[in-house]
Amino acid sequence: QVQLVESGGGLVQPGGSLRLSCAASGRTLDNSAIAWFRQAPGKEREGVSCINSRNSPTYDEDSVKGRFTISRVNAKNTVYLQMNSLKPEDTAVYYCAAGSYATHCLYVRSQKLYYGMDYWGKGTVVTVSS
């Protein structure tokens, strides 16, 4: 079975930075699309960013463009999310997810979701507050 484990969350002041990691075990995910999601208190889960099997990243929400960067290191079977210039509204539980069959990032804008994600981590909490 595939397991995804997020790490790197914590408490940070507005304007600060964090780097989240998503480590996979069970099999290589070189050919899988992998995405980051977040869920703020009282709100629905939304997609943040995705990287496909060709290592091409996408940022489908204007609120994170220019501030967040997704990357992957296949040799480590790990995906990262570098978050800069953090704002209080970035406070959320952040999840990573991978598609077992999907190699591309398919974003459903009306639902703010990436389609076809089968494997999910437990999440890591990010709190942005002074």
Side-chain angles (χ1 to χ4, degrees):
Q1 60 182 18
V2 175
Q3 290 185 312
L4 303 176
V5 180
E6 303 95 337
S7 62
L11 175 64
V12 64
Q13 292 183 318
S17 299
L18 286 173
R19 188 178 74 161
L20 306 183
S21 298
C22 174
S25 62
R27 75 171 193 180
T28 179
L29 298 179
D30 292 2
N31 297 321
S32 299
I34 304 177
W36 285 96
F37 296 75
R38 67 184 181 184
Q39 187 168 19
K43 298 183 179 180
E44 296 184 350
R45 187 177 299 180
E46 64 178 10
V48 177
S49 182
C50 184
I51 188 165
N52 66 16
S53 62
R54 297 178 181 177
N55 208 32
S56 179
T58 58
Y59 309 93
D60 294 294
E61 291 295 324
D62 291 338
S63 62
V64 307
K65 291 180 179 178
R67 298 191 299 121
F68 291 8
T69 302
I70 190 171
S71 62
R72 69 193 300 168
V73 179
N74 288 337
K76 297 182 178 180
N77 218 20
T78 300
V79 173
Y80 303 95
L81 184 68
Q82 178 68 45
M83 305 186 296
N84 299 325
S85 302
L86 284 164
K87 305 174 181 179
E89 50 264 44
D90 295 318
T91 296
V93 180
Y94 283 72
Y95 303 87
C96 67
S100 58
Y101 298 100
T103 59
H104 303 287
C105 298
L106 303 177
Y107 188 66
V108 183
R109 186 168 300 278
S110 62
Q111 300 181 32
K112 298 183 178 181
L113 296 174
Y114 294 99
Y115 180 80
M117 298 297 157
D118 304 303
Y119 306 117
W120 290 80
K122 301 297 183 182
T124 184
V125 178
V126 172
T127 302
V128 184
S129 177
S130 60

